Amino acid sequence: MENLLTQYARLVIEVQLKLREGDSLSINSEASTLTFARLLAQKAALATRQTVTIVHTNHGKVVDAIPIEPIEKEIFRPPVQGAVMCHIVDLDEHPYLTPTDLNTAAEEVTTLGKYGLLADPVFLDRRIAVPWANIPYPGPRWALQLLGTQASEEDMWRLFTTLYRIEDEHGFRFWEEQGNLLAYRKQKLNERGRCRIRLVGDLWEIGATMAKDTLWAGGRQTLPSQRSFFSSLPVQAIHAALDGKSAKGTFTSSRPFYVLGQVVKGARFTVEDGLVTEYAAQTGKEALTALFSVDENAKRVSEISLADHDTVESHYLEKSIHPHFAREMTSTIVLGGFSLDNLTTQQYEGDIEESALCSSLVRVAVPVGDSHLSVTLHSEDGSESSVMEEGIFTEEGLV
């Protein structure tokens, strides 16, 4: 296992954050992940030749700051070039199927946050301008949710190694190539400008228009300084923000997903003018009802995310149990708050309203990707192109 953790630390340093000499890295970690945080900090200090600071937290509150020094004496270190941040996410801290009082959940922000249902805070004047990343760390509770009660620690690490491609050097090249592929897809889709997107599944169909002055996002991120990084891994999806009043049709979940500690299975939604007007589910409808009661926009269709159906993530993550993986697992339709990385020129609250973006305290990604999914784009110039068939991107449709 020690070798796997060392490989994972290398992946974070060399591929995800792309650390270089002079970077000042800060690592946020709870007590449960401090051992890995120390390993990551030690390897990062060798790469940056600067002090790496571990910010030890307890339920988000700072407990201590632990400096990890590089080998060189301070006089021989390079000048500090800038800040880099990361947060180690303990996958076992997620409550999964822990029951909660659905009657009060909608009124408690801490409960919504605990289940990963809070939307991004809309701070348009405080967007992060430095490389940053969320670094998941696996545990037995996470593995048992996916692999069943007979799963061993060896099974857990085999799954995690597969997802992150850290078994050999090819995995490092894979994520760079994947970043290039998603960058190409974003470029081609953004060249089409604002489109109406039509998704057709097994006995359902829905259409929606991209929000004004937004772009497709996802995959590798690039700062104004042209420095690139991955804020999370794995990456498979690209996503578009929607005009919050434009969606119309029906859609059905293609695999189970979790809401407030309950499994939602076989969910079907009817949408008019961007808002869910009817919904049903084989299981978990009460949890959806509780989530939708948070505010008037919790039932609004805000985003479409597209990911190939034939990926490792799609095959191994058969149910959406942790929000970190929800968008990368398969194609999704998001209800609730929008993603800030789709924005372009928006600087004020009025700009958000002008683009008809959905502002809600909460958001939930509903998986819809499977071998029946097809996606068509209708451009403002009247042209039409198929970009996904049988759940797979059609690269010729992007040309």
Side-chain angles (χ1 to χ4, degrees), residues 161-189:
T161 298
T162 300
L163 291 174
Y164 281 84
R165 284 77 162 176
I166 56 177
E167 65 278 0
D168 54 41
E169 294 297 319
H170 173 71
F172 289 64
R173 295 193 299 274
F174 173 84
W175 292 121
E176 293 292 356
E177 293 166 0
Q178 184 67 5
N180 293 336
L181 174 62
L182 296 183
Y184 169 79
R185 289 175 176 172
K186 286 188 295 184
Q187 176 190 345
K188 291 302 180 181
L189 289 174

Side-chain angles (χ1 to χ4, degrees), residues 45 57 78 116 129 150 157 229 264 293 308 312 315 345 386:
T57 58
Q150 302 303 315
W157 282 109
F229 63 98
V264 180
S293 70
D308 284 323
V312 166
H315 290 304
T345 59
S386 173

Side-chain angles (χ1 to χ4, degrees), residues 102-112 290 293-294:
L102 296 177
N103 294 322
T104 61
E107 303 170 2
E108 299 175 355
V109 173
T110 54
T111 300
L112 295 168
S293 70
V294 171

Side-chain angles (χ1 to χ4, degrees), residues 204-390:
W204 62 264
E205 177 178 340
I206 189 169
T209 303
M210 290 179 63
K212 180 182 176 183
D213 298 324
T214 60
L215 294 173
W216 288 85
R220 182 192 293 130
Q221 293 175 272
T222 303
L223 298 173
S225 65
Q226 298 307 303
R227 179 160 178 178
S228 63
F229 63 98
F230 292 99
S231 60
S232 67
L233 287 177
V235 287
Q236 293 292 350
I238 54 176
H239 53 276
L242 303 177
D243 180 314
K245 298 181 180 179
S246 68
K248 179 179 175 61
T250 61
F251 67 96
T252 302
S253 62
S254 58
R255 59 182 75 189
F257 59 105
Y258 288 22
V259 175
L260 293 170
Q262 293 193 18
V263 178
V264 180
K265 183 184 296 185
R268 185 173 181 85
F269 305 86
T270 301
V271 181
E272 294 283 347
D273 299 324
L275 197 67
V276 172
T277 56
E278 295 181 26
Y279 60 97
Q282 295 173 12
T283 63
K285 182 180 179 181
E286 299 83 2
L288 287 172
T289 299
L291 184 68
F292 290 159
S293 70
V294 171
D295 58 49
E296 61 182 0
N297 285 322
K299 291 195 290 185
R300 199 166 291 280
V301 178
S302 63
E303 183 179 306
I304 287 173
S305 176
L306 302 180
D308 284 323
H309 179 60
D310 63 345
T311 63
V312 166
E313 288 77 10
S314 181
H315 290 304
Y316 281 86
L317 302 175
E318 296 181 352
K319 46 191 174 183
S320 181
I321 65 167
H322 195 287
H324 180 89
F325 301 101
R327 194 158 61 187
E328 312 306 330
M329 179 184 64
T330 189
S331 296
T332 64
I333 292 176
V334 175
L335 303 173
F338 66 92
S339 297
L340 269 66
D341 56 350
N342 293 109
L343 302 182
T344 56
T345 59
Q346 292 88 348
Q347 296 183 8
Y348 308 102
E349 185 176 343
D351 298 331
I352 299 299
E353 296 175 358
E354 175 68 19
S355 295
L357 290 157
C358 174
S359 295
S360 173
L361 179 66
V362 295
R363 61 180 273 135
V364 62
V366 180
V368 297
D370 58 19
S371 60
H372 300 284
L373 180 66
S374 64
V375 180
T376 306
L377 299 185
H378 302 264
S379 301
E380 290 183 327
D381 63 7
S383 61
E384 178 181 317
S385 60
S386 173
V387 297
M388 184 172 277
E389 295 178 3
E390 297 181 350

Side-chain angles (χ1 to χ4, degrees), residues 28 55-58 60-65:
N28 276 39
V55 181
H56 176 198
T57 58
N58 182 14
K61 296 181 180 179
V62 175
V63 174
D64 193 13

Side-chain angles (χ1 to χ4, degrees), residues 11 18 21 227 371:
L11 182 71
K18 293 182 171 62
E21 287 191 358
R227 179 160 178 178
S371 60

